[in-house]
Amino acid sequence: MTEWKEYKLGEIAEIVGGGTPDTSNKEYWGGNIPWLTPKDLTGYNKIFISSGERFITEEGLDNSSTKLLPQGAVLLSSRAPIGYVAIASNPICTNQGFKSIICNKDIVDNLYMYYWIKNNTELLQSLGTGTTFAEISGSVVKSIDISLPLLPEQICIASILSSLDDKIDLLHRENKTLEAMAETLFRQWFIEEAKEDWEEGKLGDIISVKGGTTPSTREPHFWNGDIAWTSPRDVTTLNGLYLFETEKKITQKGLEQISSGLLPAGTLLMSSRAPVGVLAFSEIPIAINQGYIAILDDKGYEKEFIYLWLKANMDTIHSYSNGSTFMEISKSAFKSLDISIPSKGEVECFVSEIKPYFDKIRINEKQIQTLIQQRDSLLPKLMSGEVKI
């Protein structure tokens, strides 16, 4: 690392805060200037971002503390939470939850800076202070130590990492296309060309459902075993359709606390609260908590058909949800959903046509996992100089 040099972040970049135009003034909102909050980066897995949910006007920009950041600015969330990051693909504004970084291009590459933040998220979070929520100030960001190789090496390192991210993004986009194709065929077969002689029934007529629970967290002998146990967090953070692993595992004694037991690989999971309606196929035998409805295709109607039916009827599912603290749908309400039931032969013929799409999505998601592991293994080694270019 003889060619690496130590800097303070403020020596190699301009640190820019953000702001929020007066939300009561309609003249400030609905323009054509993209304006971000940290929420816009929640679950965002791409390097570049062009806009978020909201836009402001020139008047909003001129009458608030937000700044128009240039294309290429590194957008770092500085509170609620700390450490989300993306690069502006066009001029963009942010709220006060960002400390954005405009790199000195003669010293530091902005794509390298993006990956440096990715590799140092825990460091950034450790620098946060505050009682309501942790936050890092502009002065703290400016004082952060950063060690940099020469600019050509930075560009090379960033190129290696971004090539992996590009492959991951390509596979995600392919999967979205494949799923959209399956959804289009579903609408054609079962909505546009629905038959009048199909039996009217309830969803519970063609599936079985299971619920789960959480073994007592006060009993250590229930936890840290080798049995996969899932809460909705596993699927809300999945960014995919197939669940290959879970954050937590339980023991055999923990499993004995769950009446639904160990559900088979291939079970279709739907979060029943916080939020309602996130879907995933479990690729492993799995135990579930109380935040799920587990769906078994044990009555002759394949899970891919059920998945697409649920996607097409998600608004109805949400309308059956209720609750004061958070919205939730019960198993009984779920099973009572109305459905026009096609014949098993029709469903079998349909699934034979769309099954290759799901198989390809699954293969792609396995490849995505491998690429993510490669990237995450390389990232700290490249950023520390352990692996030489």
Side-chain angles (χ1 to χ4, degrees):
M1 293 180 62
T2 54
E3 295 182 335
W4 291 51
K5 187 174 179 180
E6 299 291 332
Y7 297 92
K8 297 290 185 184
L9 196 49
E11 295 174 341
I12 60 169
E14 180 185 358
I15 311 303
V16 182
T20 302
D22 184 352
T23 55
S24 66
N25 191 327
K26 294 181 181 179
E27 299 297 318
Y28 295 166
W29 296 91
N32 57 11
I33 301 172
W35 178 83
L36 301 183
T37 73
K39 180 183 176 183
D40 291 309
L41 295 188
T42 302
Y44 193 80
N45 295 299
K46 298 180 182 179
I47 298 171
F48 296 94
I49 189 167
S50 60
S51 63
E53 289 185 0
R54 305 188 71 180
F55 291 78
I56 62 172
T57 62
E58 290 284 351
E59 291 85 351
L61 174 61
D62 293 339
N63 290 279
S64 70
S65 58
T66 192
K67 305 291 190 299
L68 187 62
L69 301 163
Q71 177 182 351
V74 181
L75 313 173
L76 169 64
S77 69
S78 55
R79 70 181 195 190
I82 297 168
Y84 287 167
V85 63
I87 297 176
S89 57
N90 43 257
I92 206 165
C93 294
T94 74
N95 79 344
Q96 59 275 21
F98 284 86
K99 297 296 180 290
S100 297
I101 301 166
I102 302 174
C103 297
N104 180 335
K105 296 178 181 179
D106 295 328
I107 301 175
V108 59
D109 176 64
N110 65 341
L111 190 54
Y112 182 90
M113 177 61 68
Y114 168 89
Y115 284 111
W116 185 91
I117 291 170
K118 284 281 191 181
N119 190 50
N120 288 277
T121 302
E122 290 184 4
L123 167 65
L124 295 168
Q125 291 172 345
S126 72
L127 298 174
T129 58
T131 54
T132 306
F133 46 73
E135 181 173 9
I136 46 174
S137 66
S139 60
V140 167
V141 174
K142 290 176 183 178
S143 68
I144 293 172
D145 294 317
I146 180 170
S147 181
L148 295 176
L150 295 175
L151 190 58
E153 187 173 348
Q154 293 177 40
I155 293 170
C156 188
I157 288 171
S159 176
I160 291 169
L161 294 169
S162 64
S163 68
L164 292 170
D165 273 327
D166 288 344
K167 291 177 184 177
I168 291 167
D169 182 56
L170 180 63
L171 290 169
H172 277 306
R173 286 189 280 118
E174 182 181 358
N175 282 355
K176 286 184 179 180
T177 300
L178 290 165
E179 187 169 349
M181 291 167 65
E183 290 174 357
T184 297
L185 284 174
F186 177 87
R187 286 194 299 272
Q188 179 183 333
W189 279 58
F190 301 108
I191 298 175
E192 297 167 7
E193 300 177 6
K195 298 178 181 177
E196 292 183 1
D197 61 352
W198 286 349
E199 179 186 352
E200 296 298 322
K202 302 295 183 182
L203 188 57
D205 295 333
I206 64 169
I207 60 169
S208 297
V209 303
K210 301 286 185 180
T213 191
T214 301
S216 173
T217 55
R218 295 191 298 271
E219 297 292 342
H221 57 284
F222 290 163
W223 295 93
N224 299 316
D226 56 4
I227 299 170
W229 176 89
T230 180
S231 71
R233 173 181 166 81
D234 287 319
V235 296
T236 56
T237 59
L238 184 58
N239 194 28
L241 185 52
Y242 291 91
L243 183 64
F244 297 100
E245 58 184 355
T246 58
E247 182 181 357
K248 296 182 179 180
K249 290 183 169 58
I250 57 175
T251 63
Q252 182 60 40
K253 289 187 178 295
L255 181 62
E256 291 167 3
Q257 310 304 306
I258 303 174
S259 60
S260 54
L262 191 65
L263 300 172
T267 299
L268 175 56
L269 304 174
M270 188 190 85
S271 62
S272 57
R273 67 185 193 189
V276 172
V278 181
L279 298 161
F281 295 108
S282 177
E283 283 295 296
I284 51 176
I286 203 163
I288 62 173
N289 87 338
Q290 62 277 13
Y292 281 111
I293 291 174
I295 301 157
L296 302 177
D297 59 344
D298 56 355
K299 297 182 180 180
Y301 289 83
E302 285 92 337
K303 58 182 178 289
E304 291 84 5
F305 167 78
I306 300 300
Y307 171 82
L308 292 168
W309 187 92
L310 294 174
K311 289 267 288 187
N313 290 275
M314 194 54 68
D315 288 344
T316 302
I317 292 169
H318 287 154
S319 73
Y320 273 65
S321 306
N322 56 64
S324 53
T325 306
F326 45 73
M327 300 301 287
E328 181 172 10
I329 185 169
S330 67
K331 294 193 296 295
S332 59
F334 182 73
K335 290 190 293 183
S336 73
L337 293 171
D338 294 322
I339 181 173
S340 296
I341 305 175
S343 71
K344 292 179 181 178
E346 287 170 307
V347 171
E348 183 178 345
C349 185
F350 168 73
V351 170
S352 70
E353 189 165 336
I354 56 94
K355 186 73 159 58
Y357 299 155
F358 284 88
D359 291 342
K360 179 57 175 170
I361 291 171
R362 182 184 178 279
I363 291 168
N364 285 352
E365 289 190 5
K366 287 292 287 184
Q367 188 176 354
I368 287 168
Q369 275 198 330
T370 300
L371 290 168
I372 288 173
Q373 289 167 359
Q374 290 175 352
R375 181 199 64 195
D376 292 349
S377 174
L378 271 175
L379 180 59
K381 295 175 182 177
L382 288 169
M383 288 290 160
S384 66
E386 178 183 342
V387 172
K388 300 292 185 183
I389 302 301

